[in-house]
């Protein structure tokens, strides 16, 4: 490898380190502020945004299975039950031709 390769590797390593340190500093400041509730809600918000964007353009069977999975999640608050029943609903709906 050439010196240019090592320079790029070094810069990327430094950038990764700086990003992590900046995240730690920002997280600490947010925890100490009135916006601390954002950190508590963030994991759920990320999951919802990923699921919502993956449903865009999907057929009705996917939407129905997702709605059933949401219902199971709200009622049971159990991740494995939600996944199993969501997949089973999707498989059943696909088997019925929806």
């Amino acid at each position: 490898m050439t010196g240019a390769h090592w320079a790029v590797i070094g810069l990327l390593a430094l950038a990764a380190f700086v990003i992590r340190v900046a995240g730690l500093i920002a997280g600490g400041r947010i925890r100490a502020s009135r916006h601390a509730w954002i950190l508590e809600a963030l994991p759920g918000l990320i999951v919802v945004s990923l699921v919502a964007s993956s449903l865009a353009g999907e057929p009705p069977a996917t939407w129905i299975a997702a709605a059933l999975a949401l219902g199971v999640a709200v009622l049971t608050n159990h991740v494995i039950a939600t996944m199993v029943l969501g997949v089973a609903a999707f498989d059943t709906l696909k088997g019925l031709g929806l």
Side-chain angles (χ1 to χ4, degrees), residues 30-93:
I30 291 172
R31 277 193 192 104
S33 74
R34 63 187 170 114
H35 302 292
W37 63 271
I38 294 172
L39 292 178
E40 294 175 11
L42 192 59
L45 294 172
I46 291 171
V47 169
V48 168
S49 66
L50 292 172
V51 170
S53 64
S54 68
L55 284 174
E58 290 297 320
T62 307
W63 283 85
I64 295 168
L68 290 171
L70 176 63
V72 171
V74 169
L75 291 174
T76 66
N77 196 25
H78 194 277
V79 174
I80 295 174
T82 301
M83 290 189 304
V84 168
L85 291 172
V87 170
F90 179 75
D91 186 50
T92 301
L93 292 168

Side-chain angles (χ1 to χ4, degrees), residues 1-7:
M1 288 200 312
T2 66
H5 290 111
W6 287 108

